[in-house]
Amino acid sequence: MDDGLLSQATRLGPVHLRVTDIPAALTVWRDTLGLDPIGEDAVTAELGAGGRALIVLHAGAVTALPQKSRDLFHVAIHVTTRRDLAHAAARLKASRLRYSAQDHLISESLYVSDPSGNGIEICFDTPERFLRREVSADGRVTLIAVDGSAHSGLEALDVPGLLRDLGNSGHVEPRMAADAFIGHIHMRARAPEALMQFYVGVLGFRPHIQSRTFGMFDCGTGRRPHMVAFNIWAREELREPPPNAAGLDHFTVELASTEELDAVASRLNDANVPAKRIGDAIEAADPEGNRLRLVVQGV
């Protein structure tokens, strides 16, 4: 019986991004981050890890995505070991690209952008460090570690300490770990409450953080609570991206079964959300125009 919630097997699939120059973008996605080329033609480049597509680059953007534009904030590629994150940090350091690193307590993350302004996060989940989340009466979010210490979740990551995980051999893996996956996608938003109504109330994700004081709203599944996120950190400075700018073309949500896809199609119809059904796939857009494609896993 459909309870209106997506199953815990729900996961994110390939993320499609518009870029101004595919060869320039590949210097980051392929050469520095270490994604494997899967397929390429004159207008697209597909990259992944372990034989699975993670990112598809589309040529045709005429301008980079400006900072503080409503659109993509970052797409997050998650790795499954801290050593894999250390290899990614070493590749970023050697590339001399400008990057940053943060300790979110529940994860450790590296941030960089491609030449078209598409934000990228390389993330290692650390749920074992996290005890609980506290929300004050005024909406402020504090993360409490297992040792009882309080954290903002925005502390700087100790990159030299991370790199020590590689030992003294000097060897750095040139490729992304084969089991890396798209863990979450994060957008800048104007009206996050309306977006959460779509992702939670219509699609069936579970709500997680919803705080205007913190400036972030997100949702996911019982297994992965942080899968689709929106922030309002730019606030009054947020602007619409110019026509034909780089940014998010669409992202993919992989559902567990055709029955689940049918249930989502029914909820979209009941909510009067325009959607296109093409076999075992649904194409739709959220209230701010971020496009997504819902598919059945393995089909």
Side-chain angles (χ1 to χ4, degrees):
M1 181 177 178
D2 174 34
D3 61 2
L5 291 174
L6 298 177
S7 74
Q8 295 203 56
T10 304
R11 64 194 185 199
L12 297 180
V15 175
H16 293 244
L17 302 172
R18 300 183 301 273
V19 298
T20 59
D21 184 309
I22 285 180
L26 289 175
T27 64
V28 174
W29 291 101
R30 179 194 61 202
D31 301 342
T32 299
L33 298 182
L35 292 180
D36 297 322
I38 295 176
E40 185 176 354
D41 57 29
V43 293
T44 62
E46 188 175 23
L47 303 111
R52 295 169 295 105
L54 300 181
I55 299 293
V56 183
L57 304 175
H58 295 258
V62 299
T63 185
L65 182 67
Q67 290 187 352
K68 298 184 180 178
S69 291
R70 185 207 55 74
D71 197 280
L72 181 72
F73 186 55
H74 60 244
V75 53
I77 300 173
H78 288 224
V79 293
T80 62
T81 73
R82 195 169 195 264
R83 191 175 178 86
D84 291 334
L85 187 71
H87 282 296
R91 292 194 299 270
L92 282 167
K93 184 177 179 181
S95 75
R96 300 193 180 280
L97 290 170
R98 183 177 179 180
Y99 74 96
S100 61
Q102 286 189 317
D103 184 346
H104 301 301
L105 187 63
I106 57 173
S107 65
E108 296 178 323
S109 297
L110 306 168
Y111 296 94
V112 69
S113 294
D114 72 14
S116 294
N118 293 310
I120 307 159
E121 176 182 357
I122 307 300
C123 179
F124 172 56
D125 294 317
T126 58
E128 70 282 355
R129 297 192 297 154
F130 173 69
L131 180 62
R132 67 181 184 274
R133 175 165 49 96
E134 295 182 350
V135 183
S136 65
D138 62 1
R140 296 185 182 277
V141 177
T142 301
L143 303 181
I144 307 300
V146 292
D147 64 2
S149 58
H151 298 262
S152 69
L154 300 173
E155 286 87 2
L157 178 63
D158 176 10
V159 175
L162 174 64
L163 292 173
R164 283 196 290 273
D165 275 19
L166 298 180
N168 298 320
S169 71
H171 172 71
V172 176
E173 290 289 343
R175 312 311 306 159
M176 181 70 71
D179 57 357
F181 61 98
I182 300 294
H184 69 272
I185 187 162
H186 190 155
M187 272 78 76
R188 298 183 183 92
R190 291 191 185 281
E193 290 90 351
L195 289 163
M196 288 298 97
Q197 175 56 36
F198 173 78
Y199 285 95
V200 174
V202 179
L203 292 189
F205 285 102
R206 295 174 185 266
H208 186 222
I209 295 172
Q210 298 186 79
S211 171
R212 273 198 167 267
T213 301
F214 183 55
M216 194 180 81
F217 293 63
D218 69 347
C219 57
T221 67
R223 181 178 298 166
R224 297 200 62 82
H226 181 72
M227 292 179 70
V228 182
F230 301 92
N231 75 64
I232 54 172
W233 297 326
R235 299 188 187 270
E236 292 80 11
E237 298 178 78
L238 189 70
R239 53 192 171 183
E240 283 297 304
N244 301 313
L248 178 68
D249 185 82
H250 70 275
F251 67 99
T252 312
V253 179
E254 298 183 347
L255 305 180
S257 66
T258 301
E259 291 74 20
E260 191 167 37
L261 189 76
D262 291 341
V264 171
S266 179
R267 294 198 294 272
L268 287 165
N269 182 66
D270 291 346
N272 296 314
V273 176
K276 184 177 181 180
R277 180 76 180 257
I278 307 171
D280 285 310
I282 298 172
E283 295 178 354
D286 69 25
E288 294 200 358
N290 301 301
R291 295 167 55 216
L292 62 153
R293 190 168 189 263
L294 299 113
V295 303
V296 178
Q297 295 174 20
V299 175

